[in-house]
Amino acid sequence: PPPPPPPPPPPPPPGPPPVFGTENAKDDTTATRSALFAQLNQGETITKGLRHVSDDQKTYKNPSLRAQGSSVRSPTRSHTSSPSTPKTPPQQSHCPVLELEGKKWRVEYQEDKNDLLITDTELKQVAYIFKCDKSTLQMKGKINSITIDNCKKFGLVFDNVVGIVEVINSKDIQIQVLGKVPTISINKTEGCHIYLSEESLDCEIVSAKSSEMNILIPQDGDYKEFPVPEQFKTSWDGSKLVTDPTEIMG
């Protein structure tokens, strides 16, 4: 009798396990690494589907590939950058300044200085006083203009100004005029006392958005204080608006 037929060949090995996460992969890198892990799980059967790799494609023989591999993101880590907490900049401390820069006298960041003095002045020069606190400045001679900006508890004594003296964004300011000044402007300031001289009684005081302003007029060897109006009444006279200061009712 003929020999029995040989037994059927064994069934082929099972295919690679499904690649989880491929459908929802956010990028090609994640999908590639998931597939790689799935193939590694096949054990010995992994070698059946491999092709020959040249030396320049082998990671352990090509440093550039190792560098690229180190930058691949892990699929199991979240790389969403958390919002960084804004850092508060450190408080800057400024050095006090008292110098002539071109035609401008700069007096800045002076604190607790009651002996500041400028004597070498000229008619074309201006003075800019910025962020001084609890200090006093005396200016000799004749100067074009003076600006006081962002100062607190600051005193200014000057001889003559041919243009204007401005006070801006300040608090508790005292100004004494020894000679003449045509105009003094006060803007966004709380507390400003102006001592006029006999020569400067024709000075014009221009104020806006300010409070606690007082003009001191020399009388009989002393000063008499007059408040600058802060409250006004406006009415229509038939052809135009008329604004007059009003007394603050106590």
Side-chain angles (χ1 to χ4, degrees):
V19 179
F20 296 103
T22 304
E23 294 179 357
N24 297 325
K26 294 183 179 180
D27 52 46
D28 293 340
T29 302
T30 303
T32 302
R33 290 181 64 86
S34 298
L36 175 62
F37 291 145
Q39 291 178 354
L40 290 176
N41 289 332
Q42 298 179 50
E44 295 180 355
T45 59
I46 190 173
T47 58
K48 293 183 180 180
L50 293 182
R51 60 181 176 83
H52 177 71
V53 179
S54 60
D55 286 346
D56 63 339
Q57 294 176 307
K58 296 176 181 178
T59 302
Y60 72 97
K61 290 189 177 183
N62 191 334
S64 63
L65 291 179
R66 287 200 300 272
Q68 294 175 5
S70 63
S71 64
V72 176
R73 291 182 173 183
S74 168
T76 60
R77 280 185 71 182
S78 172
H79 292 275
T80 303
S81 58
S82 58
S84 57
T85 303
K87 296 182 179 180
T88 302
Q91 188 70 25
Q92 292 184 347
S93 58
H94 299 273
C95 295
V97 176
L98 199 162
E99 65 180 10
L100 178 62
E101 185 181 82
K103 296 180 180 180
K104 177 195 287 187
W105 282 101
R106 292 177 53 204
V107 184
E108 302 174 2
Y109 306 107
Q110 301 286 342
E111 188 169 352
D112 292 317
K113 296 286 186 180
N114 293 315
D115 56 353
L116 300 173
L117 177 64
I118 296 176
T119 58
D120 188 17
T121 59
E122 296 179 5
L123 186 58
K124 295 182 179 180
Q125 293 174 352
V126 300
Y128 181 68
I129 305 164
F130 180 69
K131 284 209 170 181
C132 294
D133 187 15
K134 301 175 186 175
S135 299
T136 302
L137 168 67
Q138 183 171 1
M139 299 196 69
K140 298 285 190 179
K142 187 178 290 187
I143 194 171
N144 186 276
S145 66
I146 301 174
T147 300
I148 300 173
D149 186 4
N150 266 285
C151 294
K152 293 181 180 180
K153 297 181 180 179
F154 181 78
L156 170 67
V157 181
F158 65 89
D159 289 348
N160 297 282
V161 169
V162 297
I164 187 173
V165 173
E166 294 182 278
V167 183
I168 308 169
N169 294 319
S170 296
K171 188 173 183 178
D172 296 332
I173 304 299
Q174 294 195 29
I175 298 175
Q176 183 173 4
V177 187
L178 300 180
K180 289 184 65 69
V181 58
T183 306
I184 296 177
S185 172
I186 309 169
N187 195 8
K188 297 181 181 179
T189 294
E190 296 179 20
C192 185
H193 289 67
I194 300 174
Y195 295 78
L196 295 179
S197 65
E198 294 282 356
E199 298 177 69
S200 60
L201 293 179
D202 58 349
C203 171
E204 293 183 348
I205 311 294
V206 181
S207 61
K209 299 180 181 179
S210 299
S211 61
E212 301 175 36
M213 300 169 288
N214 292 280
I215 310 301
L216 291 98
I217 306 296
Q219 290 184 357
D220 302 326
D222 203 351
Y223 285 92
K224 186 175 181 180
E225 186 175 88
F226 295 88
V228 176
E230 301 175 28
Q231 183 171 305
F232 303 89
K233 177 184 68 176
T234 301
S235 58
W236 177 255
D237 72 349
S239 60
K240 63 181 183 301
L241 293 174
V242 178
T243 301
D244 296 306
T246 60
E247 295 291 337
I248 299 178
M249 303 301 294

